[in-house]
Amino acid sequence: MRVLGVDPGLTRCGIGVIDSVRSRRATLVEYGVLRSEPSDSVDQRLLVIATQLDEWLDRHVPDVVAVERVFAQHNHGTVMGTAQVAGIAMLAAARRTIPVALHTPSEVKAAVTGTGRAGKEQVQRMVKQILSLDHTPTPADAADALALAITHLWRPAGALQGGERSEQLTPAQRAWAAAEHAARR
Amino acid sequence: MRVLGVDPGLTRCGIGVIDSVRSRRATLVEYGVLRSEPSDSVDQRLLVIATQLDEWLDRHVPDVVAVERVFAQHNHGTVMGTAQVAGIAMLAAARRTIPVALHTPSEVKAAVTGTGRAGKEQVQRMVKQILSLDHTPTPADAADALALAITHLWRPAGALQGGERSEQLTPAQRAWAAAEHAARR
């Protein structure tokens, strides 16, 4: 299964694509940041972001698009632009009949780090570890998009099966299992 | 000039199209409400609204799309959906290279009623009067979309020219001039 994660934003929109490899592992396909010029009008900025989103969707053909659920109480100054980009990302997926999943920031943090109150650097470190990267994904928006995609991949797999023994898991699988365990407590 | 106004909303999205007739008058082309099912997922609801928006834009080919500017502090429960619909409306216009204008609710109220604190019924009454309708446009979302379009038409016309005499104006023109005068105080 291929998941495209979107951390919506009008100035910087994080985007990340991963593939599931067997049930509990994931590999990086590509990540990046979509940008628009703050000096442009909002409609032109949305068009620039939407055009880039379309290009990523057409190039990677994901099975699911995972979008961060935006709340009104977060980050007042930019929340309207963030909601608008989340909207156009959901619409772009729906137009391609690609299912959309929404995950809250704390759900994502809990899934990849084991705590819903993790900082951005902690998320970046765990994304690097889970995807076995040789570098930390930057900027944080891109790492957040990958973390969203990981959160989605990890969810439908369900809890660790009773027959699985943690000592037989790879480090990435163990990190995942620990995060899952912590998130379920 | 043809203006399409959008009062964004996910459950009810007001839409209204007017044409300018000479510099200070306007006639109704069409108004209505785009709806989506609250029980559907947000991405499917955005797709339903976007498809209807596209149909209106293709059918009426407006010169400008006027969208209500959404603020985070308004109407907490529905503000995210409202922002998302505003975003897809702006994007739909930008994709057709139609200019987008944003107007605040108080700007619209001041333009059509003379006070930024007017109620919904007052806006409906003035929209009926300005467009010389034989009925009050309902629901309020549709009237608000028409009021947005009127606000936009009225703005670039500027203040009343010194040579114009109010007694030579039609009732709709007088209502407009009065609203303009009041808004400028």
Side-chain angles (χ1 to χ4, degrees), chain A residues 2-5 15-19 27-32 56-57 60-62 131 142 145-146 149:
Chain A
R2 175 165 290 187
V3 184
L4 184 146
I15 192 161
V17 183
I18 62 174
D19 280 341
T27 55
L28 174 68
V29 178
E30 188 181 353
Y31 69 83
W56 277 70
L57 288 167
H60 291 300
V61 195
L131 297 177
L146 289 170

Side-chain angles (χ1 to χ4, degrees), chain B residues 27-47:
Chain B
T27 53
L28 173 69
V29 178
E30 188 180 354
Y31 68 84
V33 176
L34 318 181
R35 297 172 191 273
S36 75
E37 272 301 318
S39 58
D40 285 348
S41 63
V42 176
D43 58 300
Q44 288 305 310
R45 298 182 71 183
L46 290 171
L47 178 60

